[in-house]
Amino acid sequence: MVCFNLYLIVCNYYPHCPQPELTLGARRHSDPSFLTILLQDQICGLQVFHENQWIDVNPISGDLVVNIGGFLQVISNNKLKSVDHRVVANVHATARVAVACFFTGHATEAQKPFGPIKELQSKCFPSILKKIHLFTENF
Ligand SMILES: O=C(O)CCC(=O)C(=O)O
Ligand SMILES: [Fe+2]
């Protein structure tokens, strides 16, 4: 399968929020992509859910954040996890901008069901995830 042939680029714009205690920039979710590559500016806001708490993913100039998507979680038989993340409301005077590139599957293969690859299944690690169709199912 060709995962890097089809991608979607999304620009997220978070203006200053006067009442950050009432809302979020982006609600808790995990990406359904194969991989997501994110470029954030210098304004904080992204958090990942790890060991029952929200951890800040502070921007480092020139760095890219790479998120494992739900599709890669399925293919890897749950060995790689698609982490929950969110964006808190922007308390800074300047707007926050983050550009996400979602790598998905190839459109022509959308009808084909995908499941954990054989090499990652064994007696100790049987396939625990059902096969899914790209673009049509949540996993
Ligand atoms: O704005 C961010 O830092 C993350 C955006 C995000 O999680 C998404 O677009 O899926
Ligand atoms: Fe996301």
Side-chain angles (χ1 to χ4, degrees):
M1 97 153 294
V2 189
C3 281
F4 291 86
N5 263 11
L6 190 70
Y7 57 88
L8 176 71
I9 295 182
V10 174
C11 297
N12 298 290
Y13 180 82
Y14 307 91
H16 166 75
C17 177
Q19 290 181 290
E21 66 285 0
L22 297 182
T23 190
L24 286 168
R27 65 177 175 79
R28 176 179 183 156
H29 68 281
S30 61
D31 297 341
S33 55
F34 186 79
L35 276 182
T36 305
I37 297 185
L38 182 82
L39 175 67
Q40 2 175 31
D41 65 11
Q42 292 310 298
I43 311 277
C44 305
L46 178 63
Q47 296 183 326
V48 293
F49 198 66
H50 179 67
E51 293 180 350
N52 262 343
Q53 57 179 325
W54 289 104
I55 311 283
D56 292 325
V57 182
N58 291 325
I60 300 171
S61 180
D63 274 19
L64 297 169
V65 176
V66 179
N67 266 345
I68 288 164
F71 183 38
L72 181 51
Q73 181 170 342
V74 170
I75 298 289
S76 75
N77 201 20
N78 230 15
K79 286 192 164 43
L80 302 171
K81 302 281 195 287
S82 180
V83 71
D84 276 1
H85 53 284
R86 70 178 185 182
V87 181
V88 295
N90 181 11
V91 293
H92 300 88
T94 318
R96 173 175 188 271
V97 176
V99 181
C101 184
F102 300 99
F103 290 95
T104 57
H106 195 282
T108 56
E109 298 184 347
Q111 299 311 314
K112 214 167 128 187
F114 288 97
I117 59 173
K118 278 200 303 286
E119 291 78 0
L120 293 176
Q121 296 175 38
S122 63
K123 245 192 195 155
C124 299
F125 297 101
S127 171
I128 54 165
L129 298 165
K130 64 172 184 155
K131 289 200 168 189
I132 49 115
H133 285 86
L134 283 179
F135 312 120
T136 55
E137 292 184 45
N138 292 319
F139 29 85

